[in-house]
Amino acid sequence: MNQVLNSILTFFAYSVLAIGAQNVIFTRGLGLSSGLRMINDPRKDTLYFCGALTFFQIVNSMLVYFISPVINRSFLSEYSRFITPVLIVVCCALSYMIVVFGLSMTIKKSTFRKIIHSLTGASINSAIVGTIILTLSSGFDLIETIGFAFGSSIGYF
């Protein structure tokens, strides 16, 4: 039971840390926010965008978390700093294609047209790439990684 509470506290601690980092560093400090462009784009809805960003952030952080150690233990380990960015982009692209294909088959066309612009911008975003690189370089465990990804999404919103 103590380990469960410790995991929950760790998750929330890293979420709060990421809220600050995402909000101050990525969005405002570096000016990488597509959120500023979203205000002038009537095709994008903030809630759809941030919901999609949260989903892609958590899924891609978990994918890279599990795939990265495999690369680091293989013959490719000396090239991991070059492979990691490619791995992040491939995970983002694959998760985007799966989500778009799944949604296009399951929801109404009018709803799909309404959210596709938000999905596209949220799937490969500086917030996702920055968060994954920070979690990998910091050596976060799975709960810390998910908490940081969740907090980054909240900070972006």
Side-chain angles (χ1 to χ4, degrees):
M1 184 66 170
N2 190 23
Q3 187 176 6
V4 172
L5 289 175
N6 190 24
S7 296
I8 291 170
L9 287 173
T10 301
F11 173 85
F12 283 111
Y14 278 89
S15 293
V16 170
L17 173 69
I19 287 170
Q22 175 58 36
N23 200 4
V24 173
I25 297 169
F26 293 118
T27 302
R28 290 190 175 65
L30 298 177
L32 298 174
S33 173
S34 63
L36 298 175
R37 290 187 299 272
M38 190 183 340
I39 294 169
N40 296 324
D41 191 349
R43 297 173 301 175
K44 290 185 181 177
D45 181 276
T46 305
L47 291 177
Y48 284 139
F49 183 84
C50 290
L53 179 68
T54 301
F55 173 80
F56 286 120
Q57 183 86 278
I58 291 171
V59 167
N60 291 319
S61 292
M62 288 173 34
L63 285 172
V64 174
Y65 175 83
F66 287 114
I67 296 171
S68 184
V70 174
I71 291 171
N72 290 335
R73 283 186 252 132
S74 72
F75 68 95
L76 299 170
S77 63
E78 61 187 85
Y79 304 108
S80 66
R81 70 177 189 206
F82 304 111
I83 295 171
T84 300
V86 174
L87 175 65
I88 294 169
V89 172
V90 167
C91 286
C92 288
L94 286 175
S95 64
Y96 171 75
M97 289 187 293
I98 291 168
V99 167
V100 167
F101 180 74
L103 288 176
S104 69
M105 297 296 171
T106 58
I107 64 175
K108 292 188 281 183
K109 296 271 187 220
S110 60
T111 306
F112 181 75
R113 275 188 242 119
K114 186 176 181 181
I115 66 171
I116 188 65
H117 297 288
S118 297
L119 287 175
T120 304
S123 63
I124 298 179
N125 188 292
S126 63
I128 294 173
V129 175
T131 298
I132 293 173
I133 289 172
L134 283 172
T135 58
L136 285 176
S137 65
S138 298
F140 291 172
D141 64 22
L142 182 60
I143 292 173
E144 293 167 346
T145 298
I146 294 170
F148 198 82
F150 180 74
S152 291
S153 298
I154 300 298
Y156 191 92
F157 180 68

